[in-house]
Amino acid sequence: MVDGKNKKNQPVSPALSEEAADGPTQHDVVRGPLGFGRETVESLVIAFTLALLFRAFEAEAFVIPTGSMAPTLMGRHKDLDCSECDFNFQAGASREEDDQSHTLRTELGRVNREIERLRRLAADSSAGLQQRDVAQQQLADLESPSGKLSVLKMRLAGKMIASATCPNCGNVMKLIEGEGPSVTYDARYPSYNGDRILVDKFAYDFREPNRWDVIVFKYPEGANTNYIKRLVGLPNELVSIAGGDIWTSRDGQPATIARKPPHVMQAMLQVVHDSNFPASLMQTEGWPSAWTDWADTSLWQSEKNRRQFTATCSAGQSASLRYQRFNPTLDDWKEVRLGMGVRKGARPALVKDFQAYNAISQGGHWVGDLAVECTLESKSESGRIVLDLVDGGQQHSCSIDLADGMATLVAASGVKASTPTPIRGKGSWEVMFTNVDDELRLFVDKKLMPTATPVAWSSEIKKESTRDPVLEVVQPGSTVPSDLAPAGITVKADDEPVAVVVSSIKVLRDIFYIGAVGFGRRGEIRDEPILEFPLEADQFFVLGDNSAASKDGRLWIDVHYVDRRLLLGRAISIVWPHMVTASRHVTVTLPILGELRLPSWPNFARMKFIR
Ligand SMILES: [Zn+2]
């Protein structure tokens, strides 16, 4: 496969239950380059480009078919703009193209040909009467509501992605039309092939693999299959998964948390809330706002449909905004659409590891590792901005002095350090404060602001694995650090008045590694608070970024590690994500090539280096 011979749809993975959604059916495989199909023109262009690239870099291209590395890498998927809030997200659709789907489609073709044959026979006046009766009977059997034709169509319909849930506003988008065997996809939501990536096959000839590298390797339980995963455990380590994080130890020493380097952490953060995409319908009906004026002093003015907030403080005043996750449920949306208004007493919820990419709604794990990001526009020469994050009832903060640009990061444990920043006086900056892997960091305009010593603390793995969130529902004015109000933005004026505008506010979360030990009958994950994996010399431990739907080192049966000899290389970049179709386009159907939507152009926004 690596050499690009057009073997279709291998490899075979262990049979999985049929109702298993896009989750556990992930084969976690990378296919060789350039499948032949609807996106063939695109493939030809990329083939040409890559041929040139290969000559230069001796790299190789692979296609990602499944979503085990989502959202870092997409398998076959639907690219969706939420019909309520316009937030862009992806839903995996690889089961449309899995082995089972292909078998079903082949079988359907066979049944259709048989039906054709029987029809001709039944209508053939030269055939014997008895023969025609038998054909008529067989035809009726095949086409009856419980007959083979409708059973096959139903089973294929079951392979379709019926709906997807917006991670920003909870809106459930229906992706199919019709019912039963005649169900079809809503044409507005086409499925796209997986990302095409470039793999550096010589990456590890001269250096050791690094933790967090995205690597391609031969599947230890099936020699001819290429897998792609993230490297999280190195030779001779005892690797543990606990509290959503990776822990490692050597030679019987206590386990320490494995921290992601800043650029990896940034790339892996996932959006939980984005103020640029308000769900207008809910807002009009009075659904609680994600951001609340916490001091209740009316110093904040919300603008542009709560996309932007302006604080105007006189000397000595401070204004505070707090985030609460008020995500409407399916029922909330139904009631609002039926004109019944919003439910009274909506409660804030914890941030969980919900993954919109997966058809099975999992996301049962609380995520305490969060980040808050916003565009900060200062209209004054002085004042202070304080960003804070709550994790398990522990409050961490970052205070930026607008007069001199110094930022001070303070952990709940008391660890603190300062760093100069360009945030000084009047101006506009993109600021992100993160609390990930027991370390605080500040980024300004995407760049890390390094402190002289890291603002990090060490915990005990046993305690982390059983740590609970603080579930106190807090009201504006409360200073209790609750995980139900886990992020805050505060503007403080000292001697002079201060005016600050915050916009494009995002709450993001870290990846949550699940200690998965298996899947239940309906594809749901069964997990343990701590899982340990000992590694010996030349053994590596790998996990998929889509922790709820990745068959990886946790779940392999014979071995849990990748031997050094099986390493193929490091994934460098996404070179060819799916095409974007213009909103005004024509669909042409060509022989062999099938349907093409023109004009289309490459999705340059997703072409990127893989971190
Ligand atoms: Zn939405």
Side-chain angles (χ1 to χ4, degrees):
M1 273 325 284
V2 182
D3 297 311
K5 300 292 179 282
N6 206 0
K7 242 190 282 165
K8 281 195 81 176
N9 300 303
Q10 51 68 63
V12 180
S13 76
L16 291 148
S17 72
E18 212 195 19
E19 59 270 56
D22 221 46
T25 50
Q26 305 302 1
H27 304 309
D28 307 60
V29 172
V30 284
R31 282 191 199 138
L34 310 176
F36 198 78
R38 216 187 297 170
E39 288 164 291
T40 305
V41 168
E42 172 194 329
S43 301
L44 292 177
V45 177
I46 192 70
F48 184 73
T49 317
L50 290 180
L52 297 174
L53 269 173
F54 292 170
R55 279 169 174 262
F57 299 109
E58 308 220 25
E60 186 160 20
F62 293 86
V63 182
I64 306 291
T66 78
S68 78
M69 278 297 287
T72 306
L73 299 170
M74 309 280 177
R76 187 172 175 80
H77 66 281
K78 291 182 178 290
D79 201 351
L80 306 165
D81 290 328
C82 176
S83 52
E84 290 291 346
C85 75
D86 220 24
F87 184 79
N88 176 257
F89 68 103
Q90 288 77 29
S94 53
R95 59 180 172 167
E96 291 171 2
E97 292 290 331
D98 65 10
D99 296 341
Q100 208 177 25
S101 290
H102 279 274
T103 311
L104 287 172
R105 247 174 256 140
T106 310
E107 182 69 357
L108 185 65
R110 207 187 57 74
V111 169
N112 276 327
R113 285 193 299 277
E114 178 65 6
I115 286 172
E116 276 305 299
R117 192 187 67 82
L118 292 170
R119 278 218 183 97
R120 280 197 303 273
L121 188 58
D124 185 356
S125 50
S126 65
L129 193 60
Q130 198 190 344
Q131 212 180 351
R132 287 168 65 183
D133 275 353
V134 171
Q136 199 70 55
Q137 187 53 49
Q138 286 175 332
L139 200 55
D141 285 349
L142 279 176
E143 291 183 316
S144 79
S146 59
K148 198 154 190 183
L149 184 66
S150 115
V151 168
L152 280 172
K153 282 186 172 172
M154 285 293 278
R155 290 186 66 189
L156 265 171
K159 288 290 195 176
M160 294 166 78
I161 312 302
S163 64
T165 306
C166 172
N168 184 52
C169 79
N171 172 37
V172 177
M173 287 174 72
K174 196 175 170 218
L175 306 176
I176 53 174
E177 292 174 326
E179 269 172 37
S182 64
V183 62
T184 54
Y185 270 130
D186 185 324
R188 288 173 297 174
Y189 313 123
S191 299
Y192 296 105
N193 282 340
D195 291 332
R196 286 178 172 81
I197 60 162
L198 208 57
V199 175
D200 177 2
K201 296 177 75 178
F202 299 93
Y204 303 132
D205 287 2
F206 305 105
R207 72 158 172 90
E208 275 292 292
N210 287 328
R211 194 191 319 278
W212 311 115
D213 280 359
V214 176
I215 63 167
V216 175
F217 54 94
K218 293 277 181 204
Y219 178 42
E221 301 189 337
N224 288 322
T225 309
N226 298 324
Y227 266 37
I228 186 159
K229 292 278 172 278
R230 194 176 291 274
L231 181 56
V232 301
L234 301 172
N236 300 311
E237 284 180 339
L238 175 66
V239 181
S240 310
I241 304 173
D245 295 316
I246 303 297
W247 301 70
T248 62
S249 73
R250 279 173 191 270
D251 310 319
Q253 295 294 306
T256 54
I257 198 163
R259 298 193 168 97
K260 296 169 203 79
H263 63 284
V264 174
M265 184 207 76
Q266 271 176 295
M268 289 176 75
L269 285 173
Q270 299 178 28
V271 177
V272 171
H273 159 82
D274 188 336
S275 72
N276 277 329
F277 300 93
S280 303
L281 179 59
M282 276 288 167
Q283 283 193 358
T284 316
E285 295 291 328
W287 185 255
S289 168
W291 291 93
T292 307
D293 186 341
W294 206 252
D296 209 18
T297 46
S298 306
L299 296 177
W300 286 103
Q301 211 66 47
S302 93
E303 291 137 14
K304 299 183 182 170
N305 213 359
R306 295 182 197 160
R307 285 183 180 86
Q308 178 175 307
F309 299 84
T310 299
T312 317
C313 301
S314 313
Q317 280 186 320
S318 77
S320 216
L321 281 178
R322 279 212 88 70
Y323 168 73
Q324 291 169 293
R325 182 162 176 77
F326 282 113
N327 250 35
T329 61
L330 188 58
D331 286 339
D332 291 326
W333 275 110
K334 271 185 195 155
E335 285 169 17
V336 162
R337 289 199 183 101
L338 288 171
M340 293 159 71
V342 299
R343 162 169 66 93
K344 285 268 182 293
R347 283 171 60 94
L350 288 172
V351 173
K352 294 200 170 176
D353 63 339
F354 172 74
Q355 178 55 262
Y357 195 91
N358 301 336
I360 273 198
S361 179
Q362 276 175 313
H365 305 89
W366 159 62
V367 184
D369 283 6
L370 302 180
V372 57
E373 184 189 270
C374 63
T375 300
L376 194 80
E377 191 192 347
S378 161
K379 298 185 168 183
S380 331
E381 297 293 343
S382 67
R384 267 177 300 148
I385 306 291
V386 183
L387 304 175
D388 79 86
L389 292 166
V390 175
D391 176 3
Q394 305 278 299
Q395 192 162 29
H396 310 288
S397 69
C398 168
S399 170
I400 306 164
D401 192 329
L402 287 170
D404 62 7
M406 283 304 284
T408 307
L409 286 73
V410 185
S413 66
V415 183
K416 61 175 176 179
S418 296
T419 172
T421 75
I423 305 171
R424 201 171 308 166
K426 292 174 186 160
S428 177
W429 303 270
E430 191 190 299
V431 182
M432 180 164 75
F433 174 51
T434 66
N435 163 39
V436 170
D437 304 333
D438 293 353
E439 179 168 5
L440 307 181
R441 290 176 176 136
L442 172 67
F443 297 82
V444 176
D445 295 330
K446 306 268 185 223
K447 281 204 278 293
L448 177 71
M449 299 291 114
T451 46
T453 51
V455 186
W457 56 97
S458 53
S459 343
E460 266 177 67
I461 184 169
K462 290 267 180 330
K463 285 185 184 158
E464 284 297 301
S465 65
T466 54
R467 207 163 54 108
D468 288 322
V470 170
L471 291 172
E472 188 169 336
V473 179
V474 284
Q475 303 299 329
S478 167
T479 53
V480 175
S482 167
D483 289 276
L484 294 176
I489 302 173
T490 303
V491 176
K492 291 183 176 175
D494 297 324
D495 303 333
E496 301 286 324
V498 172
V500 167
V501 183
V502 288
S503 57
S504 298
I505 317 175
K506 284 183 192 156
V507 175
L508 307 101
R509 70 165 178 92
D510 184 24
I511 182 172
F512 187 96
Y513 286 112
I514 303 168
V517 291
F519 293 105
R521 268 203 64 231
R522 305 189 58 225
E524 76 281 10
I525 263 184
R526 289 184 291 114
D527 62 334
E528 299 282 346
I530 301 189
L531 279 194
E532 290 185 341
F533 300 94
L535 299 170
E536 291 171 14
D538 295 320
Q539 296 179 353
F540 296 90
F541 188 67
V542 297
L543 292 174
D545 285 0
N546 189 349
S547 201
S550 168
K551 211 170 140 274
D552 48 36
R554 301 168 299 175
L555 298 162
W556 296 338
I557 293 157
D558 297 334
V559 292
H560 60 264
Y561 57 85
V562 179
D563 190 275
R564 184 184 296 273
R565 285 167 303 176
L566 297 178
L567 299 183
L568 286 182
R570 188 172 78 91
I572 311 170
S573 60
I574 299 174
V575 286
W576 203 258
H578 70 77
M579 302 289 278
V580 180
T581 307
S583 53
R584 285 170 167 275
H585 64 269
V586 289
T587 302
V588 291
T589 307
L590 300 172
I592 304 170
L593 295 184
E595 269 188 9
L596 289 175
R597 290 179 295 272
L598 299 170
S600 292
W601 53 82
N603 185 356
F604 289 112
R606 253 190 80 70
M607 288 185 185
K608 61 178 181 186
F609 287 106
I610 297 166
R611 301 288 193 199

